[in-house]
């Protein structure tokens, strides 16, 4: 197509969307008002007004969704809890995602974003949101993965298993989808299952926030495993020595070199004194009176319970 045709088409699109954009902004008022109420509650209404440019408006609302979430994230600096965003007061997240997907029912990124965060706000609405996404996109295996995640998070392991099984038969579905169906039934509430779930979400998500939070949860699970390992080593030390080591570095020094090598191979890191470090590089806290290990108060690992 000639360049002038593309230019003319762009001008028409922008011209058609500008009055609507001005009207939207007029309804919005101040930024503070946006935090209190949503100025449009129906994507279907917008779709009728869009003059055929509903895809353009869907992109606009998706951008606003990310800006809204990012703004909340910025204001939470220093007290962030990505493991339960219900404390963030994300009142507009669900309506913004609803509008985006009503404008464009095939907006996969919006459904996947909602799958990770909406369950903290309203689990049943999150399930209906993903079910609607599957209804409009029945051949996208990723939405089955995400719906299975929501069921798993709610402890509904049989429904999670059935959802993974359904998704495993779709074109392009990875081979691990079917084993995940069995894992949900056999080990639904275990850390191993949680790690598998978040590892797959991390690997198959394109959204930055989704990947960041999946990675944060993987780090927490790794820290939990390392703390459990250190407690086992501590128990063996007490059996040999009859008491607690003076420090975690002392515990590690008491081990044979081959054992320390295996710990390193397993991913455990140490500082220059030989004290074990958590996945973010902070030394684990240790109470020599009780022989207990925990994350340091200053650690940036986000605490989470599955």
């Amino acid at each position: 197509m000639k360049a002038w045709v593309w230019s003319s088409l762009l001008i028409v699109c922008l011209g058609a969307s500008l009055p609507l954009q001005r009207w939207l902004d007029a309804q919005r008022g101040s930024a503070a008002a946006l935090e209190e109420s949503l100025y449009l509650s129906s994507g279907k209404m917008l779709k009728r007004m869009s003059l055929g440019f509903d895809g353009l408006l869907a992109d606009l609302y998706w951008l606003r969704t990310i800006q809204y979430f990012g703004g909340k994230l910025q204001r939470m600096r220093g007290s962030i809890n990505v493991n339960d965003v219900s404390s963030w007061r994300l009142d507009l997240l669900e309506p913004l995602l609803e509008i985006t997907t009503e404008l464009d029912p095939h907006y996969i990124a919006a459904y996947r974003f909602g799958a990770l965060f909406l369950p903290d706000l309203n689990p049943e609405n999150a399930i209906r949101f993903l079910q609607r996404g599957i209804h409009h996109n029945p051949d996208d295996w990723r939405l089955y993965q995400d719906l299975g995640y929501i069921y798993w998070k709610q402890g509904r392991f049989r429904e999670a298993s059935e959802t993974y099984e359904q998704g495993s038969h779709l074109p392009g579905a990875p081979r691990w989808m079917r084993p995940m169906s069995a894992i949900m039934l056999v080990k639904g509430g275990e850390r191993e299952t949680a790690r598998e779930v978040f590892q797959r979400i991390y690997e198959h998500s394109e959204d930055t926030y989704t990947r960041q939070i999946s990675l944060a949860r993987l780090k927490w699970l790794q820290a939990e495993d390392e703390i459990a390992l250190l407690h086992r080593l501590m128990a063996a030390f007490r059996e040999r020595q009859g008491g607690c080591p003076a420090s975690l570095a002392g515990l590690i020094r008491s081990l044979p070199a081959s054992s320390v090598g295996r710990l390193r191979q397993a991913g455990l890191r140490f500082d220059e004194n030989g004290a074990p470090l958590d996945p973010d590089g902070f030394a684990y806290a240790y109470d020599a009176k009780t022989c207990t290990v925990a994350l340091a108060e200053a650690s940036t690992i986000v605490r989470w319970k599955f």
Side-chain angles (χ1 to χ4, degrees):
M1 187 179 289
K2 295 182 180 294
W4 68 269
V5 176
W6 282 113
S7 300
S8 300
L9 181 60
L10 178 61
I11 291 171
V12 170
C13 291
L14 291 175
S17 64
L18 281 174
L20 181 57
Q21 179 61 52
R22 291 196 188 98
W23 185 81
L24 290 173
D25 290 337
Q27 308 307 307
R28 177 175 58 179
S30 67
L34 176 60
E35 295 292 335
E36 298 300 328
S37 63
L38 188 63
Y39 43 95
L40 275 177
S41 59
S42 173
K44 295 176 182 177
M45 179 198 307
L46 278 171
K47 198 176 183 74
R48 289 195 296 268
M49 297 174 58
S50 67
L51 305 178
F53 301 115
D54 38 298
L56 181 64
L57 274 179
D59 287 337
L60 172 65
Y61 265 86
W62 173 239
L63 177 61
R64 287 185 170 179
T65 303
I66 296 302
Q67 289 174 334
Y68 173 71
F69 186 89
K72 290 286 188 178
L73 183 64
Q74 289 296 324
R75 286 191 288 277
M76 295 285 291
R77 291 296 184 191
S79 58
I80 185 171
N81 176 11
V82 297
N83 297 312
D84 183 1
V85 299
S86 61
S87 63
W88 294 22
R89 299 182 62 186
L90 292 167
D91 300 334
L92 300 187
L93 182 60
E94 183 178 347
L96 286 167
L97 287 170
E98 291 279 356
I99 290 176
T100 301
T101 54
E102 285 176 353
L103 285 165
D104 183 355
H106 308 295
Y107 219 118
I108 302 299
Y111 291 118
R112 304 209 68 201
F113 191 83
L116 195 62
F117 301 110
L118 292 182
D120 290 339
L121 308 179
N122 189 316
E124 291 303 319
N125 284 359
I127 289 170
R128 284 191 287 270
F129 182 67
L130 262 293
Q131 287 174 334
R132 190 169 70 251
I134 288 173
H135 172 76
H136 290 295
N137 306 274
D139 294 328
D140 197 310
W141 65 267
R142 296 171 297 177
L143 297 182
Y144 290 82
Q145 175 196 6
D146 295 338
L147 179 58
Y149 159 75
I150 298 176
Y151 281 135
W152 166 77
K153 190 171 185 181
Q154 300 306 310
R156 296 161 65 170
F157 302 128
R158 180 164 295 280
E159 290 163 289
S161 174
E162 292 171 352
T163 303
Y164 275 102
E165 173 66 21
Q166 292 169 8
S168 72
H169 296 287
L170 295 176
R175 285 181 291 182
W176 54 260
M177 284 283 285
R178 184 166 292 180
M180 280 293 290
S181 174
I183 289 172
M184 288 294 163
L185 290 179
V186 177
K187 300 180 177 180
E190 296 185 4
R191 275 208 304 270
E192 182 180 339
T193 306
R195 183 180 296 101
E196 187 74 15
V197 168
F198 289 118
Q199 185 66 40
R200 299 308 182 184
I201 293 175
Y202 177 78
E203 291 173 351
H204 295 277
S205 294
E206 299 174 358
D207 173 70
T208 300
Y209 289 128
T210 301
R211 286 174 60 84
Q212 285 177 344
I213 289 184
S214 298
L215 181 59
R217 290 173 172 175
L218 286 169
K219 287 182 177 182
W220 162 249
L221 291 167
Q222 180 182 341
E224 285 275 273
D225 285 344
E226 291 176 355
I227 290 171
L229 172 60
L230 291 170
H231 279 146
R232 289 195 298 272
L233 295 175
M234 194 77 65
F237 182 96
R238 293 179 69 180
E239 187 175 340
R240 294 193 311 269
Q241 304 293 334
C244 302
S247 66
L248 289 180
L251 171 66
I252 300 302
R253 284 194 296 270
S254 72
L255 299 174
S258 59
S259 296
V260 177
R262 285 193 293 272
L263 292 176
R264 293 185 185 275
Q265 290 177 354
L268 190 61
R269 296 184 296 161
F270 305 93
D271 65 15
E272 63 276 7
N273 297 316
L277 303 174
D278 71 26
D280 273 356
F282 292 83
Y284 283 107
Y286 172 58
D287 186 339
K289 294 180 180 179
T290 60
C291 284
T292 54
V293 183
L295 287 170
E297 186 175 341
S299 175
T300 52
I301 297 290
V302 180
R303 284 70 168 170
W304 179 69
K305 293 295 182 183
F306 62 90

